[in-house]
Amino acid sequence: FEEYAEGGSRPGPLHLTIADYAKWAWQSDSLQEKWPMVVTTNYDCEVERAMNGRQCDHGILMPARNARCDKVWLYLKRTYKAHQRSERWSLVSNSQELLERQIKEMRAVPIVVKLHGSSGYSLHEAGAHTNTRLDSWFLISETDYLRAISETDPVLNAIDEILRSEQRLVCFMGHSVSDWNVRVRLWQGRGASFANFPDGWLAVNRIADRFKVEVFRELRVSALRSQIKEVMEIVESRLRELQDTAPLGSQRNAAGSS
């Protein structure tokens, strides 16, 4: 994973479109109450690199492993001022009171949530900033999936609650929530998840299978059979709608906002 992450790959047009959408949505006066969020099961850093290229302030929430081999969550905040990037690492608390306070602070910028781990980051540097010995954590094996399904994770529960309680466009891209742990979380919360979504959620499935997308009927998720080019066109269309209806605010549009 580390070799892949450092292999010199660059963000594609879709990653850049997502970064544009997140930056515009956050800077728009009428949408400042929303929290642009990219939740990914990918290990690569293409979305973050796209946001770097657009100089979009953002945070990255990722799992890691501590010295006891327990799963912990790290948060990296990146901000830009006068074309200079600053970074700040922090360890996310499992305490409900502290976690709520940290989540409130995280909402200051768009966020990328790496559900299955992430390559391409110096956990030695993160450990030095948080006074914690850290190592990489990845969800890969069948055992990893089973543990993820059965675990109680306060951080993921907080993210779930935010997605369920706020009206927003949610677009599943790639293989349309084929990961067990994601599907189980959605199913367990189906009773309350979509009450606030007048248009439902949107899923894009490049290998559409009527059995795999059957669960979406119960969840009020629209399943599309599309290629990546069509996915990008959907996001670009929503971005144009946003640009037409939500002009940028002068405060957040100023260079170097934090």
Side-chain angles (χ1 to χ4, degrees):
F1 293 122
E2 299 302 334
E3 290 178 1
Y4 172 80
E6 300 300 331
S9 58
R10 296 182 178 180
L14 177 59
H15 301 107
L16 295 170
T17 300
I18 292 172
D20 288 336
Y21 187 96
K23 185 174 183 178
W24 192 282
W26 182 242
Q27 292 176 343
S28 299
D29 283 341
S30 62
L31 292 177
Q32 286 184 13
E33 73 280 4
K34 295 294 195 306
W35 186 19
M37 182 183 298
V38 178
V39 182
T40 177
T41 58
N42 289 358
Y43 310 112
D44 62 64
C45 308
E46 307 302 356
V47 174
E48 301 97 289
R49 287 173 177 163
M51 290 190 174
N52 289 339
R54 297 298 196 241
Q55 294 204 350
C56 174
D57 293 356
H58 64 280
I60 303 123
L61 185 64
M62 70 185 82
R65 196 184 308 275
N66 64 17
R68 298 190 303 273
C69 292
D70 296 327
K71 176 185 174 185
V72 296
W73 285 91
L74 291 171
Y75 179 70
L76 173 61
K77 183 178 180 181
R78 286 175 170 167
T79 56
Y80 297 85
K81 186 174 184 179
H83 303 289
Q84 296 294 317
R85 186 176 82 188
S86 62
E87 297 186 340
R88 181 167 59 89
W89 287 95
S90 57
L91 196 63
V92 181
S93 175
N94 283 328
S95 163
Q96 186 66 30
E97 182 178 352
L98 290 177
L99 177 58
E100 290 178 359
R101 189 183 309 164
Q102 288 179 307
I103 291 291
K104 185 177 180 179
E105 294 173 354
M106 291 180 193
R107 295 183 76 113
V109 293
I111 191 170
V112 180
V113 182
K114 315 295 288 283
L115 288 180
H116 290 181
S118 183
S119 57
Y121 294 95
S122 173
L123 294 186
H124 176 74
E125 178 184 348
H129 280 83
T130 59
N131 296 316
T132 309
R133 181 181 172 183
L134 298 168
D135 199 357
S136 299
W137 183 97
F138 294 107
L139 192 152
I140 302 174
S141 68
E142 183 177 38
T143 301
D144 294 335
Y145 275 94
L146 291 171
R147 285 174 177 165
I149 290 173
S150 59
E151 72 179 352
T152 299
D153 190 321
V155 176
L156 290 183
N157 290 342
I159 298 298
D160 279 352
E161 179 62 27
I162 290 167
L163 288 174
R164 297 167 205 262
S165 62
E166 299 179 0
Q167 293 190 18
R168 59 171 70 224
L169 170 70
V170 179
C171 181
F172 299 110
M173 294 178 289
H175 296 294
S176 289
V177 209
S178 58
D179 294 286
W180 303 353
N181 54 326
V182 179
R183 294 173 75 90
V184 169
R185 275 188 170 272
L186 287 173
W187 181 257
Q188 289 174 339
R190 66 190 183 279
S193 296
F194 302 94
N196 295 326
F197 298 88
D199 300 321
W201 289 8
L202 174 67
V204 178
N205 197 328
R206 286 178 289 162
I207 53 171
D209 181 314
R210 67 191 182 98
F211 295 103
K212 290 183 178 180
V213 301
E214 176 67 22
V215 66
F216 292 147
R217 294 185 181 180
E218 182 77 16
L219 298 177
R220 288 183 56 218
V221 175
S222 301
L224 305 181
R225 303 183 181 188
S226 298
Q227 299 297 321
I228 284 296
K229 181 180 179 181
E230 296 175 78
V231 178
M232 187 169 67
E233 290 174 352
I234 293 171
V235 180
E236 286 178 337
S237 175
R238 298 293 296 200
L239 176 58
R240 288 193 296 269
E241 291 178 13
L242 180 62
Q243 291 171 335
D244 290 340
T245 59
L248 290 181
S250 57
Q251 181 177 358
R252 288 198 182 275
N253 193 35
S257 60
S258 59

